[in-house]
Amino acid sequence: PPVGEGSQFPSTSGGGGRGEGADWNEAYAGRFKAAMDDDFNTPEAVAVLFELANEVNRSQSSEVAAQLRSLGGVLGLLQRDPTEFLQGAGSDDEAMIAAQIVARNAAKLAKNYAEADRIRKALLEAGVVLEDSAAGTNWRRV
């Protein structure tokens, strides 16, 4: 079933992960849902998340930030504290770095180069160097 209509991504209000608490009638959520319903089009869904993140930065709205976190939860993103995430706490370190690389690639795909650069810089500050090549993006610790 489509997102928000009895699928694994409920439209009910509540906690953060898997889309609980998301306002599925809101414009960004509608676009996110349409992308997910389109054969799980994650690049488009992540591009919507980046647009919503830009809106959070512009508006400084806690409601918009909550919507971003809820939608990100559908993809398992944005659920941890950012500082903890970038410090690489725990054994999920490589998965976290990989998620940031996916987010950076999605930002580049959406032509949001400022966000892609911000992610690269944040990873570098956390001791992770990204190396782009024709085969993709690799990373190493400094």
Side-chain angles (χ1 to χ4, degrees), residues 79-134:
Q79 302 305 296
R80 294 187 61 192
D81 176 77
T83 303
E84 179 184 318
F85 178 83
L86 290 173
Q87 289 175 349
S91 62
D92 295 333
D93 197 28
E94 290 185 22
M96 288 185 283
I97 293 168
Q100 287 293 292
I101 290 171
V102 168
R104 179 175 169 262
N105 290 341
K108 288 172 30 179
L109 203 68
K111 299 186 185 211
N112 187 347
Y113 301 113
E115 179 64 15
D117 290 343
R118 185 199 64 75
I119 292 169
R120 176 188 283 276
K121 182 179 177 189
L123 285 170
L124 183 58
E125 289 171 0
V128 176
V129 174
L130 298 182
E131 298 171 336
D132 294 317
S133 72

Side-chain angles (χ1 to χ4, degrees), residues 24-74:
W24 292 106
N25 295 314
E26 185 267 334
Y28 288 106
R31 290 180 44 226
F32 180 89
K33 178 186 175 303
M36 296 301 288
D37 287 347
D38 180 22
D39 201 21
F40 203 62
N41 187 350
T42 53
E44 180 61 29
V46 171
V48 172
L49 294 179
F50 278 107
E51 290 177 33
L52 191 53
N54 286 332
E55 180 61 29
V56 169
N57 289 332
R58 273 192 301 276
S59 70
Q60 298 294 306
S61 166
S62 60
E63 292 83 14
V64 177
Q67 177 76 329
L68 174 63
R69 188 174 179 106
S70 292
L71 294 177
V74 172

